[in-house]
Amino acid sequence: MKKLWALFFFFWPLVALIVCWIAPDRGWWFPSEAKSPLGSRIDDLFYLILVIVTVVFIGTQFALGYVLWKGATKEEGSEAYFSHGSHSLELIWTVVPAFVLVFIALYQMDVWAEFRVKSYYPEETLKDGPMMEVKARQFEWRIRYPEPGKDLQNQPQPGDLYTVNEMHVPTGKPVKFNLRTDDVQHAFFAPQLRVKQDAVAGLIIPVWFMIEEAGDYDLVCAELCGWGHYKMRATIVAEPEEKVAEYIEQLQADQNYDGVAADEDDE
Amino acid sequence: MFLKNRHFSIVTCGLLLAVVAGCSGSDLPDSFKARFVYSDRTEGLMKEAQNGVEDLPGVKELLDERFGDPQHLLAWSQLPVDFGGLSGTVAETPAGDVVKDLKLNLSDSFTLEEGQTAVAQFVTGEAAPAVVIITGWDAEKSEAILASAMETAPAQGDLVVIGAGERLQTGRSLYMQHCSHCHGTSGDGNGPTAEYLYPRPRDYRHGVFKFTSTKPQSKVSRDDLTRVLRNGVAGTYMPSFVPMLNDEQLYDVVEYVRFLSMRGEFERKLAGELSADYSQDAVDARKADGESYKDIVSELKDFLAEDMADSLEFVSDDLATSWTEADTDDALITPNSPRVPDSPESRRLGRELYLSKAINCADCHGVAGNGNGPQTTIYEKNPVTQELYSEPGLHDVWDNLNQPRNLTYGIYRGGRRPIDLYRRIYAGIKGSRMPSFKNLKDDEIWHIVNYVLSIPFEPEPGHAPLPAGDVATASNN
Amino acid sequence: MATITPAIESHSDGHSHDHDHHEIGFVSKYIFSTDHKMIGIQFLVTTLVMLMAGGALALAVRWQLAFPWESMPVIGKLLFSGEGGQISPEFYTMLFTMHASVMIFLVIIPILAGAFGNFLIPLQIGADDMAFPVLNMLSYWFMWPAIVCFGASFFVGGATAGPAAGWTSYPLLSALVESAPGSGSAQTFWLLGLTFVGVSSMMGSVNYMTTIINMRAPGMTLFRMPLTIWSMFITAILQAFALPVLTAAGFMLLTDRILGTCFFIPSGIIVNNAPETVGGGQPLLWQHLFWFYSHPAVYIMLLPAMGMVSDMLACMSRKPVFGYKPMVYSMAAIAGLGFIVWGHHMFTSGMNPALGMTFMTSTMMIALPSAIKTFNWIGTIWGGNVRFNTVMLNCAGFVAMFIVGGLSGIFMAAVPVDIYFHDTYFIVAHFHYVLFGSTLFGVFAAITFWFPKMFGRTMNETVGKWHFVLTFVGFNGTFFPMHLLGIAGMPRRYANPYLHPYLEHLLPMNQFITFSAILMGFAQFLLLGNFLYSMFCGKKVGRNPWGANGLEWSAPSPPGHGNFDVPPVCYRGPYEYSSPEAKALGQDFILQTTPPPEMPESTPEPASA
């Protein structure tokens, strides 16, 4: 029975490892590989940490199983090993993890800096103003583009163009936008892009990302914002720059539609 | 089954189709055992009017046998609702005693994948209302193979519907997931979340929707409902449902909302026919005047036996006509002339109209457009009960306090396109105190539109000249 | 240090000591008791009941995630009959908010500090009671207004609109009454409940610190204290420093809601067409204040369990704790670092990104003492005469689960990776591994271990083992897959994640999780049943059924009023299992109170190295 218990503690980490091993094939993994360069670096970091953590997991769980097994197989009546610890062992298992942890901490600083620290942003995003304003509200994403040829202002302007739950961005170049909220706190979460940023009442937060591949990407809310939190689904449409320009033009025409113009259809 | 021939006679030009719950190919959860509630007006009738006298049905039964309950929706073909399903007739009377396959004339092409089944229901003829399961379909011979032999053989020309009400069912499932917690299972705008929302979610049962593109007296069109689902209603808790729902699903939800609206309207009108004489209050008054309860009941019985059929026909015809009309081009408001180009002059004219005695927007929306005109401080009378409302301000037909829009926010619930504002002014906001101004000239409406659109950006409404840049912007439009 | 001379005379004082105590009435013995043991047991029973309540809430959450919008058992019939038992989304938000609030504030914090802190501190340091017995009683009775407030918050705002801003209650959702159905009076009551819990904890904390500093038995030097006491001591200090911040923040939020101050509310916000906010505040301030308490609180919810597990592992392995002093220093380091890592909850919040780097480094560093402790626990078992009983199994479960919880934390400590994982199920998996996987397995072990001291009877071994296995399997089945849900990008607090196509395929996994959770939930009835049965019908045992060393085992089981029949004197550290001294007595343990064979003349007994 004792041995069975020791094996129990060997058995479950094994199951955990197998589940993790088969997870990517079964779809229990990232929704897709990262679709933005910064996202790929986040993934790389994840896999690096995953390797380190897996080694430690196997090591410690095996050690736990091993000492339990030794305890279980100890002869009846034999004495326990009397020891208050080992100074050198303590030293080893303090210094080694400390080294690894400091390494992880330092290794990832630049990814973080590039994501959030303005002076590390890609040049293009510093040169141009934000492309649009994404305003979260209970329970949708309202997007405001400046009138073509104008810069985005923090206050709405007469020529501004509005859409809801659909964000068109050009591919192949960094896109910067202002993230705001109309009411409570929300978070801009684009899982395929690995971008997440809270939208905080009273703050205008610049966010940037870059998409290489044209396509539709999900945008969801990741900060509890009320009962409709789960409903805040939107699409980020990445397409070539000309197409975005066309889209904006169409948006402008739609928004100025007066019901008479012959070439428009009224939905 | 859900069909009772006894009452079929009442339904003159229609027929009832039972929608069998849970049989569609939809993989949405179908297991809600929800229920429709009756309106206060119905519940306010005397018991006999609600539940019927002897074998004559009351309002509740008349309603239920046409609309069913959420688990067993009924498709009343009198209604202009796209219930879904493929209709057709039996092509030839099957030979032999055991009917295991059937030649059909269908209105559209039909396919059935290997291993799938479809449900068909006979609507007319001897076999009705039998339900059969089709296990195979021979497209060339247009012949259906049935899962089991039929008890009663159908005859040539019998109406049959395959997958009846599939669309309504999908709409119902989606509605229960996305809409019901605010708008309520019955579409009464009284779901569990509703009481915390301001403005209250729409109660469909009046058959009235506020933001439409249709003429002042017209119902809401399918396009209008779809647009609201697409764009949400800015400034309220009604969110956009795109991309959550695709076009097909939006259509299904819209059909279900229309179904609920018609159900509510049908109930409302039917109960309205009776409420003058047979509401609990009326009965109490009549008793006080010396009539005996027995006499009232027997009078009600006579009414149900003799006049109810006419009332039903009238109500259902009215429903069918008005809801059908809403989707026609005739109902759509289309300006005769294009928008007057936005200019300081146009805005000034708009401002003058806004303040003019005849139109007097400022009476509600306020001189500066803040939505705080003098009307918002007056106590209104409830048109039904003739009692004063408890809070000052304007009330809509749902008895909710309605703040006139604060035009300085730049939030337009019915849409921000010029045409949306035009239609708002032309048709008013249905059910609310915003009236129709359809007698204004096109240009006048456009001036007001231009002015209203400029309000959020002008520091001194109508007075301060616009910054040069903005004027240039405006003329680009 | 002063010379410690064991007071031999005190032995003979025993009799007169007993004479001071008179028969006490039922009410003052069992209800308004000032006896630390009774208060500890009261805390334990209350928190176990709350554990079941919190678990029921969790199962309701799981039901919705496995069968979204389908008729919910019991609750559906009661509250949502018109909708066919389909719950409303704000009810779902209430469910997870109250699950977390109950579990954290009414279960984990009070079961560790309240139940075991109270019961063990005087017994393990050789005191006859707490320093302030009345304050101690008050600390228990202040739990009740908290329970009443939390309970009332379920319905004061309407039957379906309980507090719904999450246990973190971020403004503006929690600050603006109009922003959610549950943000009305329900939220106010929730905040009041939080305040009462705070008051209760603060009373406990002051008491523990004073008791541990002042009331140790002769010979009980700081480094002869069991690790349980060290952990309680450090926890009490943590609480004393961190809690006032939360209490103040809670009051600020209350005044924002009731008096119209705007500490957390910026200007110009319109929610639900309510009047525009006046503003001037900053919602991030709440997050800073909240996490300044709540991150240390995570250690408040873990350290005592660490201490108790160290005690039990040593006893069940019949071996001294591996590296006693490093264990103490690690706990102190965790507590110290615990104060400067709160920002790791806010990496994506929009605070200054430079702070993100600082917090990342400190967070990485806090993993170090945790790692040391883990290695030391394994070292403790290594080479021991392991007894595979319920206590040992739960302790081993604790270590195994703590490893997972600790390692998953590394992903989140890495800011860039946290950008992706923040507010996904990865986080949910992580903190359940720490709070349930570690703390609760530690608590299960502790209940079994000290049960004989509480009631003079042992708990049933077979049922205990079944409880362990079912809970362990159910637990891992529930929470391990949540890591994968998090990697798949499933955000927390979604009433229906499957609206999003990239999460649709996770429904079967969520159903599996729910079935595991139901298994785990129902397994707790074994614990409750075992507890109640053994309380009255368990096997009677003597003073020291486990052959343990601590002072508490020299007292009668259960100890009478005043705890010890003779005031104890401590001669050595608590972990001298299998020491030569013990062997000399022919056993593998030696009580801290057993005098050494020869009394040294005047030199104090050094604490065993």
Side-chain angles (χ1 to χ4, degrees):
Chain A
M1 196 63 198
K2 281 181 176 182
K3 289 182 191 168
L4 218 62
W5 284 119
L7 286 177
F8 182 78
F9 282 92
F10 272 118
F11 174 70
W12 89 264
L14 210 64
V15 176
L17 284 173
I18 291 169
V19 169
C20 286
W21 184 258
I22 61 167
D25 284 342
R26 319 224 65 194
W28 306 333
W29 210 243
F30 290 110
S32 68
E33 57 182 64
K35 299 291 188 180
S36 70
L38 201 62
S40 308
R41 295 178 61 190
I42 291 179
D43 282 9
D44 292 346
L45 262 173
F46 169 81
Y47 285 111
L48 172 75
I49 297 176
L50 185 65
V51 169
I52 296 173
V53 158
T54 309
V55 170
V56 179
F57 177 79
I58 295 173
T60 45
Q61 297 289 1
F62 180 81
L64 179 66
Y66 173 78
V67 294
L68 286 173
W69 178 259
K70 284 305 252 184
T73 51
K74 220 175 165 75
E75 272 172 51
E76 277 299 317
S78 67
E79 282 163 18
Y81 176 65
F82 181 68
S83 149
H84 285 98
S86 150
H87 203 68
S88 42
L89 261 179
E90 296 270 5
L91 209 63
I92 292 171
W93 66 43
T94 308
V95 172
V96 174
F99 179 78
V100 174
L101 290 167
V102 170
F103 164 75
I104 297 177
L106 297 179
Y107 183 76
Q108 59 198 354
M109 289 277 188
D110 57 331
V111 181
W112 171 244
E114 214 171 301
F115 178 67
R116 278 291 282 140
V117 182
K118 248 192 180 157
S119 48
Y120 287 84
Y121 276 17
E123 240 171 75
E124 294 98 314
T125 62
L126 297 177
K127 211 168 63 224
D128 302 336
M131 186 185 160
M132 66 194 91
E133 176 185 276
V134 175
K135 210 168 197 185
R137 86 177 265 273
Q138 289 175 326
F139 299 98
E140 59 197 3
W141 301 91
R142 296 226 164 227
I143 290 139
R144 180 168 66 94
Y145 299 91
E147 193 177 355
K150 294 204 166 184
D151 287 338
L152 182 78
Q153 307 293 321
N154 287 340
Q155 289 302 314
Q157 298 299 307
D160 284 346
L161 305 173
Y162 296 83
T163 58
V164 55
N165 285 355
E166 196 171 300
M167 190 177 166
H168 284 247
V169 297
T171 48
K173 82 179 226 187
V175 179
K176 188 172 77 171
F177 59 91
N178 281 347
L179 182 61
R180 301 177 75 167
T181 167
D182 235 3
D183 36 52
V184 302
Q185 194 162 337
H186 302 266
F188 180 102
F189 178 31
Q192 289 91 347
L193 309 178
R194 317 282 191 262
V195 172
K196 190 178 286 141
Q197 175 60 54
D198 289 7
V200 183
L203 295 183
I204 301 174
I205 302 174
V207 183
W208 78 275
F209 58 74
M210 180 162 124
I211 306 177
E212 298 286 3
E213 207 179 304
D216 290 357
Y217 300 95
D218 290 301
L219 163 58
V220 301
C221 180
E223 186 66 65
L224 177 64
C225 58
W227 48 270
H229 175 42
Y230 66 103
K231 286 189 182 190
M232 290 186 65
R233 177 177 153 199
T235 314
I236 301 171
V237 181
E239 54 196 8
E241 205 160 2
E242 317 83 69
K243 281 218 171 164
V244 176
E246 267 172 44
Y247 168 80
I248 301 265
E249 218 169 276
Q250 182 61 40
L251 202 59
Q252 194 176 23
D254 287 349
Q255 197 161 301
N256 291 325
Y257 180 59
D258 63 359
V260 179
D263 54 335
E264 302 292 339
D265 55 338
D266 187 18
E267 284 171 64
Chain B
M1 247 2 268
F2 313 106
L3 302 168
K4 286 180 194 160
N5 285 320
R6 182 162 56 89
H7 303 305
F8 247 92
S9 54
I10 308 168
V11 188
T12 50
C13 61
L15 39 103
L16 287 166
L17 302 178
V19 176
V20 185
C23 68
S24 75
S26 146
D27 46 10
L28 293 159
D30 262 320
S31 57
F32 313 129
K33 289 195 187 63
R35 61 171 187 266
F36 288 142
V37 295
Y38 300 103
S39 70
D40 289 346
R41 193 182 270 191
T42 306
E43 301 285 4
L45 294 174
M46 64 189 291
K47 285 278 167 294
E48 289 80 0
Q50 289 181 35
N51 303 324
V53 188
E54 292 163 25
D55 62 341
L56 292 167
V59 171
K60 288 182 174 175
E61 196 180 337
L62 288 170
L63 184 68
D64 288 348
E65 69 192 13
R66 276 161 188 76
F67 294 89
D69 65 65
Q71 275 70 48
H72 305 289
L73 300 171
L74 296 181
W76 182 19
S77 70
Q78 167 77 359
L79 301 179
V81 174
D82 179 359
F83 295 104
L86 201 54
S87 64
T89 52
V90 177
E92 55 187 61
T93 310
D97 290 343
V98 181
V99 183
K100 279 220 72 172
D101 42 36
L102 210 55
K103 274 200 163 51
L104 299 172
N105 279 331
L106 294 179
S107 60
D108 207 346
S109 64
F110 175 61
T111 49
L112 197 64
E113 299 277 319
E114 189 73 36
Q116 281 190 330
T117 58
V119 176
Q121 184 174 19
F122 290 88
V123 183
T124 59
E126 284 279 299
V131 174
V132 293
I133 292 166
I134 301 176
T135 51
W137 175 250
D138 186 337
E140 273 177 28
K141 287 195 276 181
S142 86
E143 198 170 65
I145 298 141
L146 308 181
S148 56
M150 292 184 65
E151 279 177 22
T152 318
Q156 184 178 358
D158 282 357
L159 257 179
V160 67
V161 180
I162 299 176
E166 271 177 358
R167 195 176 283 292
L168 201 63
Q169 262 188 90
T170 318
R172 190 271 321 261
S173 282
L174 291 167
Y175 180 90
M176 290 303 285
Q177 279 189 65
H178 296 278
C179 321
S180 67
H181 62 87
C182 293
H183 290 287
T185 309
S186 329
D188 54 359
N190 200 19
T193 315
E195 64 173 299
Y196 307 99
L197 307 184
Y198 181 74
R200 293 281 296 219
R202 182 80 54 253
D203 172 358
Y204 309 141
R205 296 178 306 173
H206 289 247
V208 177
F209 289 80
K210 282 187 171 173
F211 307 109
T212 69
S213 62
T214 54
K215 300 240 161 80
Q217 302 309 321
S218 296
K219 296 275 176 205
V220 71
S221 69
R222 286 184 168 97
D223 285 345
D224 291 330
L225 292 173
T226 315
R227 191 173 52 244
V228 167
L229 284 175
R230 276 183 190 287
N231 299 343
V233 179
T236 74
Y237 267 113
M238 176 76 188
S240 160
F241 282 91
V242 172
M244 253 179 294
L245 303 177
N246 61 31
D247 289 355
E248 183 86 17
Q249 291 171 320
L250 286 177
Y251 184 84
D252 295 346
V253 172
V254 165
E255 285 311 301
Y256 190 67
V257 167
R258 293 174 77 247
F259 171 82
L260 287 178
S261 306
M262 290 178 209
R263 180 188 175 277
E265 212 181 334
F266 182 82
E267 178 187 19
R268 195 180 161 72
K269 289 190 167 154
L270 211 57
E273 295 274 326
L274 291 166
S275 64
D277 294 328
Y278 305 106
S279 73
Q280 203 55 58
D281 294 344
V283 170
D284 289 347
R286 288 169 71 176
K287 277 198 283 190
D289 286 348
E291 285 187 67
S292 81
Y293 192 73
K294 222 173 150 186
D295 288 348
I296 301 176
V297 172
S298 84
E299 194 189 314
L300 172 70
K301 192 183 160 192
D302 290 347
F303 181 87
L304 292 177
E306 286 154 29
D307 302 324
M308 204 52 184
D310 287 345
S311 292
L312 281 170
E313 189 178 339
F314 173 73
V315 168
S316 58
D317 282 354
D318 184 41
L319 273 182
T321 322
S322 58
W323 282 91
T324 310
E325 191 261 356
D327 281 311
T328 61
D329 283 346
D330 288 345
L332 189 71
I333 301 169
T334 314
N336 294 314
S337 58
R339 177 185 183 187
V340 175
D342 188 20
S343 66
E345 177 60 12
S346 166
R347 295 179 193 177
R348 195 186 57 74
L349 288 169
R351 169 76 177 164
E352 273 173 20
L353 290 162
Y354 180 93
L355 294 173
S356 67
K357 267 273 172 296
I359 305 174
N360 209 358
C361 307
D363 200 23
C364 298
H365 291 283
V367 174
N370 285 319
N372 57 357
Q375 285 294 333
T376 59
T377 58
I378 291 170
Y379 282 85
E380 282 192 315
K381 237 184 209 168
N382 183 326
V384 180
T385 61
Q386 299 300 318
E387 282 164 16
L388 286 182
Y389 283 111
S390 58
E391 68 286 77
L394 304 161
H395 289 74
D396 56 23
V397 296
W398 297 273
D399 293 341
N400 294 325
L401 182 64
N402 243 209
Q403 206 69 32
R405 190 66 47 248
N406 183 337
L407 299 168
T408 63
Y409 286 156
I411 292 172
Y412 310 101
R413 291 186 180 166
R416 62 182 316 122
R417 300 175 308 171
I419 182 64
D420 295 325
L421 274 77
Y422 179 97
R423 285 170 177 156
R424 212 77 319 113
I425 296 167
Y426 185 94
I429 294 173
K430 288 163 191 167
S432 83
R433 297 295 307 278
M434 169 86 184
S436 156
F437 292 96
K438 65 176 179 181
N439 295 328
L440 291 180
K441 293 196 202 75
D442 263 19
D443 283 1
E444 289 176 324
I445 296 183
W446 284 127
H447 290 316
I448 301 175
V449 169
N450 287 339
Y451 168 64
V452 166
L453 280 171
S454 77
I455 291 177
F457 309 105
E458 276 180 312
E460 286 279 312
H463 293 282
L466 285 169
D470 282 353
V471 177
T473 309
S475 59
N476 280 345
N477 297 335
Chain C
M1 198 179 286
T3 306
I4 294 158
T5 315
I8 307 287
E9 320 84 290
S10 62
H11 286 251
S12 54
D13 270 0
H15 270 292
S16 60
H17 190 76
D18 275 349
H19 284 232
D20 295 345
H21 301 291
H22 307 286
E23 275 304 303
I24 34 181
F26 179 83
V27 170
S28 45
K29 187 168 181 193
Y30 292 110
I31 300 173
F32 294 107
S33 170
T34 52
D35 185 334
H36 73 99
K37 298 180 294 295
M38 185 47 64
I39 297 170
I41 292 167
Q42 286 173 331
F43 262 114
L44 184 60
V45 172
T46 314
T47 48
L48 283 180
V49 172
M50 290 298 139
L51 177 75
M52 300 310 277
L57 289 166
L59 289 185
V61 169
R62 285 312 318 173
W63 181 271
Q64 167 71 8
L65 286 172
F67 310 104
W69 306 132
E70 299 214 25
S71 194
M72 185 175 277
V74 190
I75 292 170
K77 272 237 162 60
L78 275 175
L79 296 175
F80 297 98
S81 58
E83 290 71 40
Q86 173 192 356
I87 62 164
S88 66
E90 71 268 15
F91 190 76
Y92 177 80
T93 53
M94 181 282 279
L95 285 176
F96 65 69
T97 300
M98 288 315 288
H99 162 65
S101 309
V102 167
M103 285 302 196
I104 290 169
F105 297 117
L106 300 182
V107 178
I108 303 221
I109 293 182
I111 207 174
L112 290 175
F116 289 102
N118 257 312
F119 187 80
L120 294 178
I121 289 174
L123 278 172
Q124 289 200 326
I125 63 172
D128 54 1
D129 205 323
M130 284 285 183
F132 311 114
V134 177
L135 192 66
N136 204 17
M137 177 184 80
L138 278 178
S139 99
Y140 173 73
W141 285 104
F142 262 81
M143 281 286 291
W144 278 100
I147 292 171
V148 168
C149 284
F150 279 133
S153 71
F154 277 100
F155 53 82
V156 285
T160 64
W167 82 278
T168 52
S169 280
Y170 280 3
L172 301 174
L173 198 55
S174 58
L176 297 179
V177 174
E178 301 82 8
S179 61
S183 297
S185 37
Q187 187 69 31
T188 308
F189 271 78
W190 185 90
L191 278 166
L192 285 174
L194 188 67
T195 310
F196 281 118
V197 172
V199 172
S200 158
S201 295
M202 196 47 127
M203 290 176 179
S205 145
V206 168
N207 216 345
Y208 302 158
M209 284 191 289
T210 317
T211 309
I212 294 172
I213 293 171
N214 283 335
M215 299 184 57
R216 277 169 287 132
M220 179 61 86
T221 62
L222 284 177
F223 282 110
R224 280 182 186 168
M225 294 198 307
L227 286 170
T228 304
I229 299 303
W230 266 111
S231 67
M232 294 290 176
F233 187 43
I234 291 168
T235 305
I237 296 170
L238 266 179
Q239 243 172 10
F241 280 95
L243 199 55
V245 178
L246 180 74
T247 311
F251 268 118
M252 285 156 83
L253 192 52
L254 265 178
T255 58
D256 268 14
R257 297 171 49 80
I258 295 168
L259 304 178
T261 55
C262 286
F263 293 110
F264 307 117
I265 306 172
S267 63
I269 304 286
I270 300 175
V271 176
N272 206 8
N273 291 300
E276 215 169 298
T277 56
V278 187
Q282 171 49 282
L284 284 187
L285 175 62
W286 167 266
Q287 296 186 26
H288 281 292
L289 295 176
F290 179 82
W291 288 116
F292 187 84
Y293 164 74
S294 292
H295 195 80
V298 171
Y299 297 107
I300 294 171
M301 293 181 253
L302 181 61
L303 282 174
M306 287 177 157
M308 294 190 297
V309 165
S310 309
D311 269 19
M312 292 181 278
L313 273 181
C315 175
M316 294 308 160
S317 305
R318 318 308 297 163
K319 249 191 99 224
V321 160
F322 195 97
Y324 172 86
K325 278 189 179 173
M327 289 291 238
V328 174
Y329 296 142
S330 300
M331 283 199 281
I334 288 175
L337 285 167
F339 273 108
I340 53 165
V341 295
W342 81 88
H344 67 215
H345 297 269
M346 300 169 60
F347 284 151
T348 68
S349 71
M351 68 174 179
N352 186 335
L355 274 177
M357 300 197 181
T358 325
F359 281 124
M360 167 169 66
T361 316
S362 55
T363 305
M364 284 289 175
M365 286 302 97
I366 208 167
L368 193 56
S370 313
I372 294 169
K373 292 193 75 75
T374 309
F375 296 138
N376 283 349
W377 286 320
I378 296 175
T380 305
I381 307 172
W382 172 54
N385 263 344
V386 183
R387 296 179 180 171
F388 284 88
N389 53 21
T390 311
V391 177
M392 183 66 199
L393 291 175
N394 276 300
C395 286
F398 168 96
V399 177
M401 298 298 96
F402 181 71
I403 293 170
V404 181
L407 291 177
S408 61
I410 306 224
F411 291 96
M412 282 161 250
V415 221
V417 182
D418 185 66
I419 294 172
Y420 182 68
F421 282 141
H422 181 78
D423 265 333
T424 63
Y425 261 76
F426 199 85
I427 308 290
V428 180
H430 164 74
F431 66 68
H432 278 101
Y433 263 92
V434 178
L435 291 186
F436 190 134
S438 310
T439 303
L440 275 191
F441 278 113
V443 164
F444 295 151
I447 290 176
T448 319
F449 188 68
W450 278 291
F451 194 86
K453 195 49 60 184
M454 290 179 186
F455 303 106
R457 295 166 188 272
T458 50
M459 284 173 80
N460 185 300
E461 262 305 292
T462 320
V463 180
K465 280 179 177 159
W466 272 109
H467 169 251
F468 166 74
V469 170
L470 292 178
T471 309
F472 192 88
V473 170
F475 171 82
N476 282 291
T478 304
F479 295 108
F480 198 81
M482 282 191 190
H483 291 112
L484 302 172
L485 292 182
I487 295 173
M490 180 170 143
R492 289 166 76 172
R493 297 167 168 173
Y494 270 25
N496 180 12
Y498 319 107
L499 275 185
H500 303 273
Y502 78 100
L503 299 172
E504 264 175 345
H505 66 287
L506 298 174
L507 181 64
M509 180 176 269
N510 270 306
Q511 287 173 340
F512 172 78
I513 290 176
T514 298
F515 293 131
S516 306
I518 291 171
L519 171 74
M520 176 171 71
F522 280 90
Q524 303 321 307
F525 284 107
L526 288 181
L527 175 77
L528 278 199
N530 195 357
F531 191 93
L532 287 177
Y533 175 83
S534 308
M535 214 164 128
F536 302 107
C537 314
K539 204 180 95 197
K540 280 198 173 170
V541 286
R543 295 184 176 215
N544 194 359
W546 308 108
N549 290 348
L551 289 190
E552 74 270 33
W553 302 109
S554 65
S557 301
H561 196 63
N563 292 344
F564 300 92
D565 24 32
V566 287
V569 178
C570 175
Y571 294 97
R572 61 181 67 72
Y575 301 121
E576 299 303 303
Y577 296 101
S578 307
S579 70
E581 234 181 340
K583 261 182 272 174
L585 295 173
Q587 54 193 27
D588 61 357
F589 68 99
I590 180 158
L591 278 168
Q592 282 181 286
T593 49
T594 307
E598 285 167 49
M599 285 292 293
E601 286 292 307
S602 61
T603 44
E605 174 88 351
S608 308

